[in-house]
């Protein structure tokens, strides 16, 4: 993990201020002000229903697709308000990729899964597509396992391989940020370890935000941790000190297992 003094020197990729999110008239997030550092892993922890997944979807406007969702406050990516007039949500989601809790490969070949995004964005050169597919699969630590069966159905892969394929698919459009909503929760320990190793290798080139219920995982791989409770951010700080010396009693109660 990054030392505390180094953590302070990292620039913010996202800055969120006075964020409220409503589903109908019910607030799901309440007055959130927090930063997400660039080129680091930020873990979001908290009990079920506390707002972690809602928050992560705010960052690339996935909540736009939820009927009745309403958002106030500002969410800035590199200084630009992503909810500002003229911002194209599709272009935003290219910059801010998303990997979901359960692997969701498309019902097509491994190759076609990874090439799908670049093709949608206009890439038609097959030589370049082959390069993108290989690069993305290498980044996702999957190339050596699938290089001889790229035209096999993606659904033939194991669960852990499918999740790494989904990561490769997200990386193929060259995002700046990778959002991961409990990406290892449905995987076995060996596959989980591979996902964690992958996150560590990717953070040199990407800002990563990961939702996890596994506090040991957050402690192992993240540089910064944010604790959510009942739609509010209770505490945030460098992971190196967050778990050893929490400042809020509610944080201590949660990470020691008194509730949640």
């Amino acid at each position: 993990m990054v030392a505390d003094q180094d953590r302070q020197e990292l620039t913010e990729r996202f800055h969120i201020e006075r964020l409220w999110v409503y589903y109908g008239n019910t607030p799901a997030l309440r007055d959130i002000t927090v930063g997400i550092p660039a080129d680091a892993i930020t873990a979001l922890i908290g009990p079920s229903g506390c707002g972690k997944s809602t928050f992560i979807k705010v960052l690339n406007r996935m909540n736009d697709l939820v009927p009745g969702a309403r958002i106030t406050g500002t969410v800035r990516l590199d200084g630009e308000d992503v909810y500002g007039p003229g911002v194209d949500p599709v272009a935003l989601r290219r910059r801010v990729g998303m990997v979901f809790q359960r692997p969701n490969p498309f019902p097509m070949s491994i190759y076609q899964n990874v090439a799908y995004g670049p093709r949608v964005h206009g890439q038609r050169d097959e030589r370049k597509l082959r390069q993108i597919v290989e690069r993305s699969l290498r980044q996702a630590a999957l190339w050596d396992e699938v290089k001889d069966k790229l035209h096999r159905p993606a659904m033939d892969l194991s669960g852990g391989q499918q999740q790494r394929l989904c990561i490769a698919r997200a990386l193929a459009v060259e995002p700046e940020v990778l959002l991961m909503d409990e990406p290892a929760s449905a995987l076995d320990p060996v596959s989980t370890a591979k996902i964690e190793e992958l996150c560590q290798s990717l953070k040199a080139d990407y800002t990563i935000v990961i939702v996890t219920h596994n506090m040991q995982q957050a402690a192992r791989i993240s540089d910064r941790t944010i604790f959510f409770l009942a739609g509010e951010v209770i505490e945030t700080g460098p992971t190196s000190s967050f778990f050893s010396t929490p400042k809020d009693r509610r944080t201590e109660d949660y990470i020691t297992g008194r509730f949640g």
Side-chain angles (χ1 to χ4, degrees):
M1 290 179 292
V2 179
D4 290 8
Q5 60 268 30
D6 293 335
R7 156 78 24 251
Q8 295 173 354
E9 295 172 5
L10 293 177
T11 58
E12 282 189 344
R13 174 54 51 87
F14 276 102
H15 183 74
I16 297 92
E17 191 165 357
R18 305 299 302 272
L19 172 70
W20 288 74
V21 178
Y22 298 86
Y23 294 132
N25 294 321
T26 303
L29 291 176
R30 305 166 181 266
D31 200 20
I32 304 292
T33 295
V34 72
I36 303 292
D39 303 325
I41 301 174
T42 299
L44 312 182
I45 67 169
S48 296
C50 68
K52 304 184 300 297
S53 292
T54 295
F55 177 80
I56 206 172
K57 291 174 183 176
V58 164
L59 301 181
N60 71 346
R61 294 185 54 168
M62 290 292 289
N63 283 312
D64 287 12
L65 308 175
V66 179
R70 180 167 57 89
I71 294 170
T72 65
T74 57
V75 179
R76 299 189 183 278
L77 172 60
D78 295 332
E80 180 184 9
D81 186 355
V82 304
Y83 288 87
V87 174
D88 180 358
V90 175
L92 172 67
R93 292 178 197 130
R94 181 174 183 175
R95 295 179 65 191
V96 186
M98 186 85 165
V99 176
F100 296 94
Q101 180 175 3
R102 293 190 176 276
N104 59 341
F106 300 146
M108 53 182 66
S109 73
I110 295 167
Y111 181 95
Q112 290 171 322
N113 263 270
V114 183
Y116 181 86
R119 281 177 171 152
V120 167
H121 290 289
Q123 181 57 259
R124 295 292 181 266
D125 187 315
E126 285 300 325
R127 182 182 62 84
K128 290 182 179 178
L129 282 170
R130 287 194 296 271
Q131 292 173 345
I132 291 169
V133 169
E134 179 174 347
R135 185 201 71 230
S136 303
L137 288 169
R138 285 188 183 279
Q139 285 182 299
L142 190 57
W143 174 253
D144 289 340
E145 298 170 43
V146 302
K147 62 184 178 182
D148 296 324
K149 47 186 177 183
L150 293 176
H151 300 291
R152 295 272 300 277
M155 301 306 292
D156 287 353
L157 297 174
S158 70
Q161 289 174 324
Q162 287 183 21
Q163 191 64 299
R164 281 182 284 147
L165 176 64
C166 292
I167 293 171
R169 189 175 66 198
L171 296 175
V173 296
E174 300 183 323
E176 301 160 33
V177 180
L178 194 58
L179 309 177
M180 307 179 99
D181 193 355
E182 297 190 66
S185 65
L187 304 181
D188 61 79
V190 172
S191 297
T192 296
K194 288 183 179 180
I195 296 292
E196 291 182 6
E197 291 168 8
L198 176 57
C199 289
Q200 290 283 15
S201 68
L202 290 174
K203 77 172 183 179
D205 299 307
Y206 302 92
T207 298
I208 298 176
V209 184
I210 182 168
V211 173
T212 179
H213 275 290
N214 186 328
M215 284 179 285
Q216 290 77 20
Q217 182 177 79
R220 282 193 301 266
I221 71 170
S222 71
D223 301 288
R224 194 165 191 85
T225 300
I226 304 175
F227 172 46
F228 285 79
L229 183 64
E232 299 180 10
V233 167
I234 302 302
E235 185 170 345
T236 181
T239 300
S240 53
S241 58
F242 184 93
F243 287 97
S244 59
T245 54
K247 296 180 175 63
D248 192 287
R249 178 61 182 270
R250 290 167 292 180
T251 306
E252 182 177 359
D253 287 348
Y254 182 70
I255 65 178
T256 56
R258 292 193 181 98
F259 75 93

